[in-house]
Amino acid sequence: METLRWRDGRLELIDQRRLPLEFEYVACDTAAQTADAIRDMVVRGAPAIGCTAAYGVALEAQRHLQAPRAQFDAALEHSFAVLAASRPTAVNLFWAIERMRQCHAQMRGGTTLAEAAALLELARQIAADDVEINRAMGRHGAKLIADGARIMTHCNAGALATAGHGTALGVIRSARDAGKRISVIANETRPYLQGARLTAWELVQENIPVTLATDNMAGHLMQQGRVDVIVVGADRIAANGDTANKIGTYTVAVLAERHRIPFYIAAPLSTIDLAIADGSAIPIEERDPAEVTGFRGLRWAPEGVSVFNPAFDVTPAALISGLITEKGVIERPDAGKIRALFGN
Ligand code: MRU
């Protein structure tokens, strides 16, 4: 299964809006279409959004191969802008755009042909690296998972949220591959149901035992001693370790602390935003109220009701037992330990 792939000069994405009922790819030909696909949740999950945006820039370069340099440059600037405006929280999006921008700056003196080839090669590299990074995180994180562990996860931080293997689900996959007999509790993840639709689907496909729970069952399950460890992904981690992830993650972290259950974040270094001192400055996306008042055209809430729909919340670093990265596990992350990860 490839969450995203480059085929015949087009970017193809698994249409995650239709899973698990239908499995099909949609194609993007322009940066604007790619930005729409990110905004509309055809593709979602922080690392997958970053990889997709990189390909979005590459698409625009391919489209303007024969154009005069000024027109080529303008098309690229436009692609950076439309992609950056697609979703605000996952920092991997901006990280990937920045890498593409740096490549553009380096290649500007040469031909548009050479630059378009370099941009496509970099997008491919970002996606290939993502899979390797997830495998490294998986190896480090699997050591934290005991044989027989019952692992709770929230949202989808799986292969579908990355270029492959997954972050939190990557740890789970690697633990299974290491021979551990594990089982997973997938929180449904209201309102968009990434847990019920995507995490449950990925795990069922791979015969990893998974039980679906609605979000409001988390406290009860922990109180009953049915959860041994929690592993989730992240959309943006501030310099002090405060972590934005799917709405509901904070609730799970507070409950984990109450029940003394280890709570881990699995995320690549590209999800860490050193420019943001703490979680209070992380931009939180507000999504369409229709995601809360109904689903796929079925409405259950009365017309006229006002609605909250923040897509993410922030878990303070103090509630995080460890941050699983490609460079290893940081126990009890804080500003100093995170700086050290980057060699500062
Ligand atoms: O709104 P989404 O589905 O893009 O949110 C995704 C999450 O919150 C994931 O947990 C996070 O991106 C980590 S993905 C490896």
Side-chain angles (χ1 to χ4, degrees), residues 150-151 185 211 220-228 261:
R150 296 157 302 173
I151 309 159
I185 297 167
T211 305
H220 173 72
L221 293 171
M222 291 187 210
Q223 192 180 45
Q224 296 237 312
R226 294 164 76 172
V227 181
D228 299 308
I261 299 169

Side-chain angles (χ1 to χ4, degrees), residues 69-84:
R69 173 47 85 172
Q71 210 178 316
F72 181 89
D73 288 352
L76 283 191
E77 285 304 330
H78 173 71
S79 74
F80 299 143
V82 289
L83 288 159

Side-chain angles (χ1 to χ4, degrees), residues 12 17 53 75 77 152 188 192 202 211 228 232 234 315:
E12 294 188 344
R17 297 167 304 182
E77 285 304 330
M152 177 175 277
E188 175 185 45
Y192 204 74
E202 274 195 39
T211 305
D228 299 308
V232 300
T315 297

Side-chain angles (χ1 to χ4, degrees), residues 21-201:
L21 303 179
E22 289 165 59
F23 181 93
E24 67 176 39
Y25 283 89
V26 295
C28 299
D29 292 307
T30 67
Q33 283 174 7
T34 309
D36 286 344
I38 294 172
R39 187 178 303 103
D40 294 348
M41 308 284 270
V42 171
V43 63
R44 28 64 50 204
I49 291 172
C51 297
T52 302
Y55 275 120
V57 174
L59 272 175
E60 212 56 38
Q62 297 290 322
R63 249 164 46 93
H64 292 86
L65 269 184
Q66 315 287 354
R69 173 47 85 172
Q71 210 178 316
F72 181 89
D73 288 352
L76 283 191
E77 285 304 330
H78 173 71
S79 74
F80 299 143
V82 289
L83 288 159
S86 60
R87 289 188 75 189
T89 303
V91 75
N92 310 59
L93 171 73
F94 307 100
W95 171 90
I97 293 172
E98 186 50 34
R99 287 196 61 185
M100 299 301 277
R101 190 188 276 286
Q102 281 170 12
C103 177
H104 170 49
Q106 279 163 14
M107 300 295 294
R108 259 188 123 143
T111 64
T112 53
L113 208 70
E115 182 173 338
L119 287 167
L120 178 56
E121 188 45 39
L122 178 56
R124 284 200 167 106
Q125 194 61 53
I126 288 173
D129 288 351
D130 187 52
V131 180
E132 286 315 308
I133 286 168
N134 293 336
R135 290 196 185 281
M137 262 190 286
R139 281 193 297 278
H140 297 304
K143 295 183 191 142
L144 302 166
I145 308 293
D147 189 26
R150 296 157 302 173
I151 309 159
M152 177 175 277
T153 191
H154 191 79
C155 194
N156 172 268
L160 289 167
T162 63
H165 199 64
T167 57
L169 292 195
V171 170
I172 290 169
R173 284 196 167 92
S174 296
R176 187 272 316 265
D177 294 345
K180 294 180 182 170
R181 289 157 299 171
I182 47 153
S183 60
V184 177
I185 297 167
N187 290 344
E188 175 185 45
T189 318
R190 280 278 294 147
Y192 204 74
L193 305 177
Q194 287 92 333
R197 297 191 301 108
L198 308 177
T199 297
W201 181 77

Side-chain angles (χ1 to χ4, degrees), residues 154-343:
H154 191 79
C155 194
N156 172 268
L160 289 167
T162 63
H165 199 64
T167 57
L169 292 195
V171 170
I172 290 169
R173 284 196 167 92
S174 296
R176 187 272 316 265
D177 294 345
K180 294 180 182 170
R181 289 157 299 171
I182 47 153
S183 60
V184 177
I185 297 167
N187 290 344
E188 175 185 45
T189 318
R190 280 278 294 147
Y192 204 74
L193 305 177
Q194 287 92 333
R197 297 191 301 108
L198 308 177
T199 297
W201 181 77
E202 274 195 39
L203 296 177
V204 165
Q205 297 278 310
E206 282 194 44
N207 290 319
I208 296 178
V210 55
T211 305
L212 183 60
T214 64
D215 302 338
N216 52 0
M217 295 171 189
H220 173 72
L221 293 171
M222 291 187 210
Q223 192 180 45
Q224 296 237 312
R226 294 164 76 172
V227 181
D228 299 308
V229 57
I230 297 153
V231 189
V232 300
D235 291 85
R236 191 183 299 224
I237 301 174
N240 71 343
D242 291 352
T243 294
N245 190 48
K246 181 51 54 194
I247 191 75
T249 302
Y250 171 56
T251 313
V252 173
V254 170
L255 287 165
E257 160 126 317
R258 161 83 186 176
H259 296 285
R260 297 190 166 73
I261 299 169
F263 176 90
Y264 291 107
I265 301 283
L269 264 54
S270 55
T271 302
I272 299 175
D273 185 355
L274 293 177
I276 283 190
D278 64 57
S280 64
I282 298 177
I284 302 291
E285 177 182 14
E286 272 287 333
R287 292 189 61 86
D288 188 343
E291 291 177 357
V292 175
T293 54
F295 191 65
R296 287 185 175 153
L298 171 70
R299 188 180 172 106
W300 49 69
E303 296 289 348
V305 68
S306 58
V307 166
F308 290 124
N309 193 12
F312 303 95
D313 59 24
V314 176
T315 297
L319 294 178
I320 299 170
S321 313
L323 174 59
I324 304 164
T325 75
E326 65 269 37
K327 288 200 175 172
V329 180
I330 317 300
E331 302 279 347
R332 294 278 163 207
D334 62 23
K337 292 176 189 173
I338 288 178
R339 256 199 322 276
L341 263 182
F342 290 88

